[in-house]
Amino acid sequence: MDDSRHPTVTDPELYRVIFENDRVRVVEYRDTPGTRTQRHHHPDSVLITLSAFRRLMELDDRIVEVDRAPFEAGWMAAHTHIGENVGDTPTHVLFVEIK
């Protein structure tokens, strides 16, 4: 992956690395309603929601609305997108990125 498109580079005020070794990188994401990210890339990851959220994801050729409850975990295949918090609550998420 081109590290210049990693979200900790494109939106360092929203994403931060909280753990990393040679096999995984754990990234924390936090935002507030109305926040919109720059276009960035996520590698294959496990997504863990720490808060409920509603957002629009602008993928290459489509826009998808995503609603999540707190304390869910699921697989997220690698992709590039722009995200926007269109809900009325802050977002708090962990990504466990597979290297």
Side-chain angles (χ1 to χ4, degrees):
M1 176 182 77
D2 175 4
D3 279 342
S4 68
R5 297 191 63 185
H6 191 271
T8 59
V9 175
T10 62
D11 293 289
E13 70 283 3
L14 303 173
Y15 292 89
R16 72 182 181 107
V17 175
I18 60 174
F19 175 81
E20 185 169 10
N21 65 22
D22 61 332
R23 300 178 110 186
V24 300
R25 176 170 34 199
V26 179
V27 176
E28 178 183 41
Y29 175 80
R30 290 178 179 262
D31 75 12
T32 56
T35 301
R36 182 176 167 88
T37 67
Q38 301 296 312
R39 182 170 299 282
H40 59 277
H41 179 80
H42 290 280
D44 287 342
S45 306
V46 174
L47 172 71
I48 304 163
T49 61
L50 301 177
S51 69
F53 64 83
R54 186 167 59 101
R55 51 196 316 102
L56 291 180
M57 308 295 280
E58 287 184 30
L59 302 163
D60 291 332
D61 58 350
R62 61 193 162 98
I63 296 176
V64 177
E65 187 169 329
V66 178
D67 283 291
R68 294 286 173 105
F71 308 112
E72 293 181 343
W75 181 252
M76 187 177 77
H79 67 280
T80 299
H81 75 271
I82 297 170
E84 181 178 1
N85 182 335
V86 295
D88 53 8
T89 61
T91 304
H92 190 195
V93 177
L94 296 178
F95 298 90
V96 180
E97 300 176 347
I98 310 303
K99 290 186 171 183

